Amino acid sequence: MKMKLASILLAGASLMTAFSAQAAEKVTLQLKWVTQAQFAGYYVAKDKGFYEAEGLDVDIKPGGPDIAPAQVLAGGGADVIVDWMPSALATREKGVPLVNIAQPFKKSGMMLTCLKETGITKPDDFKGKTLGVWFFGNEYPFLSWMAHLKIPTEGGAEGVTVLKQGFNVDPLLQKQAACISTMTYNEYLQVLEAGVKADDLVTFKYEDEGVATLEDGLYVLEDKLKDATFKDNMVKFVRASLKGWKYAEENPDEAADIVLENDASGAQTEAHQKGMMTEVAKLTAGATGALDAADYERTVKTLLGGGSDPVITKEPSGAYTTEITDAALK
């Protein structure tokens, strides 16, 4: 009798588990880059059960050099993506209707890191130099900055030569470029880890130069927001994700460990991820996750002011909504 009762209870538990798994709404998130602390909030939200508590089954897909999040989204391979606003607005203008639904990152971590030995001390000193620049949508903030400085990007004594930089710091270490693109939380740390002393470097943060644009926001396709179920899922997803980000800020070492546990490549190191998480927390600190209209307008103004070849050619319309965060933050 006891065995029969145990079997019934076990079967019941299995049915409940199966029902719960079936009932959970599936959401696929496409990251902008590989698994690292830049995306800690999402991994923490999944690890801590924040998504599960919202009735969501979230699949987090890492990015990489050959993965364009907007293309994945447009092709139906994801429900929501992480992207930088310059890339998202440029993509929207080209016909893929991306909409920002949340902005976990308040500040920009982008900068140019230069060797002091090149004699560069101010932006005007870029003239005649070779600068490493990321592409695949990451070039837009740089091109806008150069346009604001009125520095051509086709080379020459009064311009800069653009070196298409891979996602590494080799051009600086090998002195192929006077400056390279770096993030405060990643490549700059890689330069230091390679043995270069901070005193031998000069850095220019986009925030300090007045040309910072919004990074790491959450984007969906505009038409999807017409579906009530999808919108409800995004409210739940954003609410859980923001909870994950706050937990990561308050527990950076644990957050870094969670990221490492999810790194299938095994390429990340504990020291680097913990350093990255510390720096990333500075960019999300103070953010509610709701897009600040002033930050959006500053980004648009920067992108429109790109001289004869601006990143976007007209003021965007419908490029963001606060409906999701309004509901998520109640």
Side-chain angles (χ1 to χ4, degrees):
M1 183 67 180
K2 287 183 179 180
M3 288 185 65
K4 185 176 181 180
L5 180 59
S7 298
I8 292 172
L9 290 172
L10 182 61
S14 298
L15 284 171
M16 285 297 292
T17 300
F19 177 77
S20 297
Q22 185 177 7
E25 293 280 354
K26 293 187 178 297
V27 172
T28 300
L29 169 67
Q30 175 64 62
L31 301 180
K32 184 174 175 62
W33 192 237
V34 299
T35 301
Q36 58 183 24
Q38 176 184 357
F39 311 108
Y42 309 111
Y43 287 110
V44 167
K46 185 166 184 175
D47 183 84
K48 292 295 178 183
F50 300 158
Y51 291 135
E52 185 179 4
E54 293 283 356
L56 301 179
D57 176 13
V58 176
D59 179 25
I60 304 175
K61 297 171 68 172
D66 301 320
I67 297 174
Q71 290 181 10
V72 175
L73 187 68
D79 299 296
V80 55
I81 63 172
V82 176
D83 205 354
W84 288 1
M85 186 166 282
S87 175
L89 292 182
T91 300
R92 183 178 176 85
E93 189 168 288
K94 291 173 183 174
V96 181
L98 300 186
V99 177
N100 179 297
I101 60 168
Q103 189 61 45
F105 275 47
K106 174 71 174 174
K107 296 179 181 178
S108 166
M110 196 171 187
M111 59 185 182
L112 279 181
T113 295
C114 311
L115 291 171
K116 187 178 289 185
E117 66 186 46
T118 62
I120 293 175
T121 60
K122 57 187 182 301
D124 196 56
D125 296 332
F126 294 152
K127 294 176 182 177
K129 302 293 195 301
T130 296
L131 308 182
V133 180
W134 296 315
F135 279 74
F136 301 101
N138 299 321
E139 72 274 23
Y140 297 132
F142 170 82
L143 295 176
S144 289
W145 185 15
M146 293 302 107
H148 281 272
L149 293 172
K150 294 182 171 51
I151 297 178
T153 56
E154 294 82 29
E158 292 301 308
V160 296
T161 298
V162 174
L163 173 66
K164 191 173 182 179
Q165 182 183 331
F167 294 95
N168 56 57
V169 298
D170 292 348
L172 193 76
L173 300 180
Q174 298 169 6
K175 300 186 179 181
Q176 298 169 339
C179 311
I180 60 169
S181 298
T182 60
M183 302 303 290
T184 55
Y185 53 77
N186 194 2
E187 290 77 15
Y188 179 72
L189 300 180
Q190 290 178 24
V191 174
L192 299 181
E193 289 164 2
V196 181
K197 295 179 181 178
D199 289 345
D200 294 328
L201 299 169
V202 177
T203 59
F204 299 88
K205 293 183 178 180
Y206 282 59
E207 284 277 358
D208 296 340
E209 299 300 324
V211 290
T213 51
L214 286 169
E215 294 162 4
D216 294 54
L218 292 172
Y219 293 84
V220 301
L221 290 175
E222 189 170 355
D223 285 350
K224 287 281 193 175
L225 292 171
K226 297 175 184 176
D227 183 277
T229 299
F230 179 84
K231 282 181 70 174
D232 186 52
N233 286 343
M234 287 302 101
V235 170
K236 295 174 181 177
F237 172 77
V238 167
R239 182 162 50 228
S241 296
L242 296 178
K243 189 174 180 180
W245 273 116
K246 291 308 165 189
Y247 189 96
E249 281 180 27
E250 295 166 4
N251 304 275
D253 285 353
E254 183 183 352
D257 287 338
I258 290 171
V259 169
L260 288 167
E261 289 168 6
N262 284 276
D263 176 29
S265 71
Q268 308 291 357
T269 66
E270 181 179 358
H272 186 72
Q273 289 308 300
K274 288 186 174 179
M276 183 184 291
M277 187 61 239
T278 297
E279 292 300 319
V280 165
K282 296 176 184 177
L283 306 182
T284 59
T288 64
L291 176 63
D292 185 306
D295 292 340
Y296 169 80
E297 289 164 7
R298 183 196 70 222
T299 295
V300 169
K301 183 179 179 181
T302 298
L303 299 178
L304 283 171
S308 61
D309 189 24
V311 174
I312 54 175
T313 62
K314 58 186 177 181
E315 187 88 22
S317 176
Y320 75 93
T321 178
T322 61
E323 284 188 54
I324 303 301
T325 48
D326 287 346
L329 294 170
K330 281 184 179 177

